């Protein structure tokens, strides 16, 4: 496959929005891509809109767990393999579906996910920083915010 020249022209993107993403499976997938000649891969996560077509509110904890799993994948992979992460925010499952999780209700999730990626994890200090940035007094990640 590497003789085709394709690995020099494209970089694969591995998509997974699950909170319990299979870290070991993703690491093995990256190894397969490397054996095929791809030197770089991208990850794709979501900060909203990937948990149900009728979802109105964003469950921050689901997306935070997904990003923490992607960080584990990155730390268990060769240091030079990750080109970047596409942090997606889906609003529609297809063009015939109603909109779900509009951006205003998902901004706290976006802030939490970005801070987790920026800091390589999530802690009480990071949570407090997000609350301060957003002007919120109590950021809830395990239940829907009121």
């Amino acid at each position: 496959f590497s003789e085709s020249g394709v690995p020099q022209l494209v970089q694969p993107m591995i998509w997974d929005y699950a909170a319990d993403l299979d870290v070991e499976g993703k690491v093995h997938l990256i190894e397969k891509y490397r054996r095929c000649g791809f030197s770089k891969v991208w990850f794709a996560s979501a900060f909203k809109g990937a948990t149900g077509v009728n979802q109105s509110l964003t469950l921050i904890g689901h997306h935070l767990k997904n990003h923490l799993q992607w960080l584990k994948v990155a730390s268990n992979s060769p240091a030079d393999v990750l080109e970047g992460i596409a942090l997606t925010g889906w609003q529609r499952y297809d063009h015939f579906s109603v909109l779900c999780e509009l951006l205003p209700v998902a901004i706290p999730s976006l802030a939490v996910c970005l801070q987790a990626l920026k800091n390589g994890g999530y802690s009480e200090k990071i949570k407090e920083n997000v609350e301060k940035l957003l002007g919120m007094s109590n950021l809830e990640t395990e239940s829907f915010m009121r």
Side-chain angles (χ1 to χ4, degrees):
F1 183 78
S2 58
E3 298 82 33
S4 70
V6 171
Q8 288 69 45
L9 300 173
V10 298
Q11 295 176 338
M13 183 172 288
I14 305 169
W15 301 76
D16 199 324
Y17 307 142
D20 60 351
L21 167 142
D22 178 9
V23 172
E24 188 177 318
K26 294 294 182 269
V27 171
H28 289 303
L29 183 57
I30 292 167
E31 290 169 2
K32 287 180 182 180
Y33 279 129
R34 298 275 284 207
R35 285 195 302 272
C36 289
F38 294 99
S39 60
K40 299 285 186 183
V41 299
W42 288 76
F43 299 159
S45 64
F47 72 91
K48 74 175 194 83
T51 56
V53 67
N54 295 322
Q55 194 76 20
S56 299
L57 302 173
T58 304
L59 186 56
I60 298 170
H62 173 90
H63 301 289
L64 173 60
K65 289 172 188 163
N66 175 255
H67 286 89
L68 296 176
Q69 292 296 93
W70 276 120
L71 287 169
K72 287 180 186 175
V73 173
S75 68
N76 287 294
S77 299
D80 62 339
V81 73
L82 179 60
E83 185 70 11
I85 184 166
L87 188 83
T88 65
W90 297 98
Q91 194 159 293
R92 179 177 290 170
Y93 276 63
D94 62 59
H95 293 290
F96 303 106
S97 297
V98 297
L99 298 178
C100 65
E101 295 184 58
L102 300 179
L103 182 60
V105 299
I107 288 175
S109 180
L110 175 59
V112 165
C113 294
L114 285 171
Q115 286 296 311
L117 291 175
K118 177 184 173 192
N119 292 287
Y122 193 71
S123 66
E124 187 62 32
K125 184 174 184 228
I126 293 169
K127 176 183 180 255
E128 291 169 6
N129 186 43
V130 171
E131 288 173 338
K132 184 178 175 186
L133 287 168
L134 296 177
M136 300 174 73
S137 59
N138 187 26
L139 178 67
E140 184 56 56
T141 59
E142 295 307 316
S143 64
F144 292 109
M145 292 183 38
R146 297 187 179 138

